[in-house]
């Protein structure tokens, strides 16, 4: 009867989630490679074909997935920091962020890109502020600051896509500026 090698690191239960993540990344890379097979390789303007980027992404994901899997199965991530933050999820914050994303998707054709993305930002930041326990989250000043910041972020993105890249995004008016 042989005894197990006591010098080998024990396989804690914490390595299984890491193994699953590695397997998921590896399988995603393989699936992308399978999909890239059907893309034409005829070289376009720049000497590379339309299948170059899908193949590049699939190869990188496959390599990263294999590396994560190897790390997980040989003892887990060795230099992993201890978990920080709350012991349990803050569900109200999750609801605020989810509401922002869902309302953005539902209202983008009605309100236009700028206002729907501003609303998404406003609600997501409110959820994050509440999750971190910031004081004054219900003050009108905080709401106004978050609204203005969301508009300052989303308006240039809208204008960049519509005016400079000629990509149509839903606007509030037909002018292309709002």
């Amino acid at each position: 009867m042989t005894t197990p090698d006591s010098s080998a690191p024990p396989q804690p239960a914490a390595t299984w989630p890491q193994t699953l993540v590695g397997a998921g990344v590896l399988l995603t890379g393989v699936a992308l490679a399978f999909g890239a097979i059907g893309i034409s390789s005829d070289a376009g303007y720049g000497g590379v074909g339309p299948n170059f980027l899908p193949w590049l992404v699939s190869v990188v994901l496959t390599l990263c997935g294999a590396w994560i899997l190897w790390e997980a199965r040989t003892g887990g991530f060795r230099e992993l920091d201890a978990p920080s933050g709350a012991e349990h999820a803050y569900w109200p914050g999750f609801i605020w962020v989810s509401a922002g994303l869902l309302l953005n998707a539902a209202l983008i054709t009605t309100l236009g890109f700028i206002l729907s993305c501003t609303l998404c930002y406003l609600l997501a930041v409110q959820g994050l502020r509440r999750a971190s326990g910031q004081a004054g989250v219900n003050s009108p000043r905080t709401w106004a600051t978050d609204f203005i910041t969301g508009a300052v972020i989303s308006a240039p993105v809208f204008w960049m896509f519509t005016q400079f890249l000629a990509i149509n995004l839903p606007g509030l008016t037909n002018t292309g500026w709002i």
Side-chain angles (χ1 to χ4, degrees), residues 137-161:
V137 292
N138 285 327
S139 75
R141 179 183 170 98
T142 301
W143 283 84
T145 301
D146 293 344
F147 181 83
I148 291 168
T149 304
V152 166
I153 292 170
S154 61
V157 171
F158 176 77
W159 296 324
M160 181 67 74
F161 275 88

Side-chain angles (χ1 to χ4, degrees), residues 35-147:
I37 291 172
I39 299 174
S40 169
S41 64
D42 295 334
Y45 178 75
V48 297
N51 70 345
F52 173 75
L53 193 57
W55 274 111
L56 179 68
V57 170
S58 66
V59 167
V60 169
L61 276 177
T62 303
L63 289 173
C64 287
W67 188 5
I68 293 170
L69 202 56
W70 178 79
E71 282 284 330
R73 298 316 308 149
T74 59
F77 302 144
R78 288 150 190 85
E79 310 238 349
L80 193 61
D81 292 334
S84 63
E87 190 172 319
H88 299 289
Y90 182 73
W91 292 106
F94 173 77
I95 292 169
W96 277 92
V97 173
S98 297
L101 291 171
L102 292 172
L103 284 172
N104 184 21
L107 298 174
I108 194 165
T109 57
T110 306
L111 295 178
F113 181 86
I114 295 173
L115 290 178
S116 65
C117 288
T118 300
L119 178 63
C120 178
Y121 179 85
L122 174 74
L123 295 175
V125 169
Q126 279 294 314
L128 296 173
R129 287 184 190 279
R130 292 167 195 271
S132 68
Q134 286 186 5
V137 292
N138 285 327
S139 75
R141 179 183 170 98
T142 301
W143 283 84
T145 301
D146 293 344
F147 181 83

